Amino acid sequence: MAALAAREAGSDVLVLGKGHVGKGTCTAMAAGFFNAASPDYATETHREQTLNAGQGLNDPRLVELLVNGASAALNHLKNMGAPLVPTPTGFRIPTAVDSRTIPGNDLMKTLAQITLEKGVRTLPRFQVLKIMVEKGRAVGVFGFTAEGEEAMIHAPSIVLAAGGGGALYLRNDNPSGINGEGYAMALRAGCQLQDMEFVQFHPMGLCEPGLPTVLINPPYPAKARIYDKAGREVLGELGDSVDIHQATTRLRDQASLLFFKKYRERGLFLDLTNVPEEEWKRNWSLRLLERYPFDFRQRRCGIAPITHFFMGGVRVDAEMRTGVDGLFAAGEVTGGLHGANRLGGNALTECIVEGAVAGKTASEWARHSGRIGPTLPSSEFAAMGKMEASGHLRQEFKSLFEEIRKTAWEHIGIIRNEAGLRGGAEIVRRMEEDAEVLSPRGTMEFIHHNRIKNALLVLRCLLEASLTRKESRGSFFREDYPETNDEHWRCNICIRLGDNDRLILDRRHPG
């Protein structure tokens, strides 16, 4: 949306992507629901539910931007040809009766076609390693082309829309490239992060040997049941008459905590064996499950919570400015809108609304700051010398990144405490030492080495923010501080980078 908005404002726009632009994103994996005001869903209700989910930590400026701008942004998207149909709380991407595709993927295909028709240029398989800043102003990015050549792309304004960091966790439903690099690049460019301790875990992740770690999407059949190892129904522990839909929306935090405890004790199981055959034919989420080599109609399958979304991110104002001139941000890479937890249905709406604002603001900045410059070789990493354009990645690089994911899941997961967090911090410190002695031999290893360093920096942000907040709130649960403490902790923890990659933490009132 940022690219489209900037192009419509008259700017020359270039979109960079790690892979093919639009693929490998969380939007492409989404169930396709957008919250927005409608005849059955008032703006006031949307605002109230968003603030309730955020538990006092939302940035009110960003909430107002979202709830007041959602309908117009989505109607504009619909008028451009995006496949949207109304729902009681906004819009959704339609699915064909016989479809086994994810709705978000259909949306991204449409958006890619629209951007092409609008004249937006794309550069796929470009790996950005650094946002270049001169005298407090973003001037371009440094990275590698698909051919392994280093390049500096100059631009008068940059919109960072790199997504979150869910793939830093061992169990996650994010594409593999969503590993927090946007956070690290923003920190190193001079931006602040906020709310990095708040990570959303979805209760309904597949956890069955031989099956991928993916989210089981709604809609959930009325006949579906969830049992523990002893065969007892679990949802009753969340309250009377709670169904799976309520557990995964209104009670998502409590459900994730309960499901994780059950999973850790003896296991947790989803039973679809009583779902009528007709529903298997018309429910797109069930049709997706049919792709896997498992007989869901006859057997219960293992489930467990899964890392889903980062509430925290780059601190921005209501025009998506980051505090670094010429650098703007939108979507999950930003923080502030969601506070302590995100309301289901707000993620895609955030991308559409914030993206449109970021694109417009970036275009205005570019108009007063000069035109996009040429692509030039960069001297920023001249010390690395000429590297072999190699596609080979040695095992030590792979192993270190897997240890990062394991550490995030085990030490910065659903249930946290002082001992676990400090243990995680010690592991990260040791991994940083290991990363320093790795010597990349080719472009692929150089890129992966940079990714490892970025991931470790992001993990340090999560750990230090989690150690600082001595309470439980929203998606954040510390078993040594299980109560919410508004008197001391109704505040945002903000992070900036000091000398030698030292993290500096401050507390600020929301807004």
Side-chain angles (χ1 to χ4, degrees):
M1 282 306 296
L4 287 170
R7 183 61 180 159
E8 289 175 347
S11 290
D12 184 15
V13 181
L14 175 65
V15 177
L16 306 176
K18 287 182 185 178
H20 293 286
V21 176
K23 295 184 178 180
T25 66
C26 286
T27 299
M29 302 288 289
F33 289 88
F34 300 81
N35 286 342
S38 69
D40 299 316
Y41 189 61
T43 298
E44 292 76 16
T45 304
H46 190 189
R47 178 187 296 110
E48 179 183 359
Q49 291 181 348
T50 299
L51 292 171
N52 286 344
Q55 296 195 18
L57 299 191
N58 314 72
D59 185 330
R61 302 168 301 175
L62 298 181
V63 173
E64 290 306 307
L65 177 69
L66 181 84
V67 301
N68 292 317
S71 293
L74 284 162
N75 280 318
H76 180 55
L77 188 63
K78 186 176 180 181
N79 291 336
M80 287 191 294
L84 296 172
V85 295
T87 70
T89 59
F91 294 90
R92 67 175 176 86
I93 308 299
T95 55
V97 173
D98 59 348
S99 175
R100 289 190 180 181
T101 62
I102 298 173
N105 190 51
D106 294 336
L107 173 64
M108 291 309 298
K109 286 180 180 179
T110 302
L111 287 177
Q113 182 61 36
I114 294 171
T115 57
L116 181 65
E117 293 170 355
K118 295 282 187 179
V120 173
R121 294 180 296 138
T122 62
L123 183 56
R125 297 174 60 205
F126 187 94
Q127 178 69 52
V128 177
L129 300 187
K130 183 180 177 69
I131 298 168
M132 307 302 295
V133 178
E134 293 180 4
K135 298 179 181 178
R137 173 183 167 182
V139 296
V141 297
F142 168 81
F144 282 96
T145 68
E147 293 73 33
E149 297 293 328
E150 56 179 293
M152 168 80 174
I153 299 178
H154 295 274
S157 60
I158 300 166
V159 177
L160 182 65
L168 288 175
Y169 282 77
L170 188 63
R171 282 187 53 77
N172 73 85
D173 65 347
N174 286 204
S176 60
I178 306 299
N179 43 41
E181 290 176 285
Y183 303 132
M185 287 192 290
L187 265 182
R188 293 193 169 105
C191 301
Q192 291 191 51
L193 306 183
Q194 69 174 77
D195 302 331
M196 292 300 288
E197 65 272 35
F198 294 104
V199 178
Q200 186 181 76
F201 299 89
H202 198 289
M204 298 292 290
L206 271 180
C207 187
E208 184 70 37
L211 298 186
T213 304
V214 296
L215 177 67
I216 303 172
N217 283 293
Y220 303 108
K223 293 286 188 179
R225 296 291 184 268
I226 297 175
Y227 297 98
D228 63 15
K229 185 71 172 179
R232 295 183 294 257
E233 284 202 50
V234 169
L235 293 178
E237 296 185 38
L238 295 172
D240 295 336
S241 303
V242 172
D243 60 21
I244 299 178
H245 176 74
Q246 293 169 325
T248 57
T249 53
R250 183 169 55 87
L251 301 172
R252 183 176 290 182
D253 297 334
Q254 299 96 310
S256 292
L257 186 60
L258 173 65
F259 285 18
F260 182 74
K261 289 178 178 177
K262 298 288 185 182
Y263 151 76
R264 192 171 59 177
E265 289 168 3
R266 298 182 64 191
L268 192 67
F269 303 90
L270 174 66
D271 189 339
L272 299 171
T273 60
N274 291 315
V275 174
E277 187 62 31
E278 186 60 32
E279 191 154 5
W280 283 94
K281 296 177 182 179
R282 68 171 183 262
N283 184 315
W284 74 271
S285 180
L286 294 179
R287 290 195 303 274
L288 288 180
L289 292 179
E290 290 181 318
R291 300 182 301 179
Y292 304 121
F294 189 90
D295 192 352
F296 293 94
R297 288 176 172 83
Q298 299 297 323
R299 297 170 56 196
R300 296 175 181 177
C301 69
I303 61 171
I306 197 168
T307 313
H308 188 54
F309 189 90
F310 275 40
M311 270 69 73
V314 181
R315 190 173 176 86
V316 293
D317 65 14
E319 293 188 305
M320 301 298 109
R321 293 180 293 226
T322 65
V324 175
D325 285 345
L327 180 59
F328 311 86
E332 191 178 348
V333 78
T334 66
L337 169 62
H338 306 294
N341 206 354
R342 175 181 64 83
L343 176 68
N346 270 355
L348 292 183
T349 307
E350 174 186 28
C351 292
I352 299 300
V353 174
E354 290 187 356
V357 173
K360 181 180 178 181
T361 309
S363 179
E364 291 173 354
W365 173 268
R367 217 169 15 249
H368 296 94
S369 305
R371 297 178 60 83
I372 189 169
T375 302
L376 298 173
S378 172
S379 60
E380 176 73 10
F381 291 86
M384 75 183 207
K386 181 64 176 177
M387 302 194 75
E388 175 191 355
S390 169
H392 178 67
L393 188 65
R394 283 172 289 163
Q395 185 59 43
E396 49 262 50
F397 288 86
K398 299 176 185 178
S399 297
L400 189 52
F401 200 81
E402 283 306 301
E403 188 174 2
I404 288 171
R405 298 176 67 231
K406 182 181 178 183
T407 300
W409 179 251
E410 294 181 352
H411 293 271
I412 330 171
I414 296 173
I415 299 176
R416 305 178 196 179
N417 57 51
E418 184 92 8
L421 292 167
R422 293 204 178 280
E426 179 58 28
I427 294 171
V428 168
R429 184 197 63 76
R430 192 260 304 157
M431 285 193 288
E432 287 181 320
E433 293 177 351
D434 292 343
E436 283 301 313
V437 300
L438 284 177
S439 181
R441 293 178 182 171
T443 52
M444 177 172 283
E445 288 193 346
F446 184 81
I447 290 168
H448 204 78
H449 191 225
N450 190 76
R451 188 171 299 157
I452 287 169
K453 292 191 291 185
N454 284 340
L456 290 169
L457 177 59
V458 174
L459 257 61
R460 280 205 287 130
C461 291
L462 269 64
L463 285 160
E464 294 202 22
S466 297
L467 281 164
T468 300
R469 183 172 293 278
K470 292 177 170 56
E471 65 156 359
S472 294
R473 183 186 296 266
S475 68
F476 178 79
F477 180 75
R478 279 194 60 165
E479 60 183 353
D480 47 352
Y481 295 96
E483 304 299 324
T484 298
N485 185 336
D486 279 341
E487 181 180 357
H488 295 292
W489 293 107
R490 190 171 180 177
C491 62
N492 304 112
I493 296 175
C494 300
I495 304 174
R496 53 195 169 93
L497 202 60
D499 295 337
N500 300 315
D501 276 0
R502 181 174 62 92
L503 299 181
I504 302 170
L505 277 64
D506 302 297
R507 296 193 215 176
R508 295 191 181 181
H509 188 273

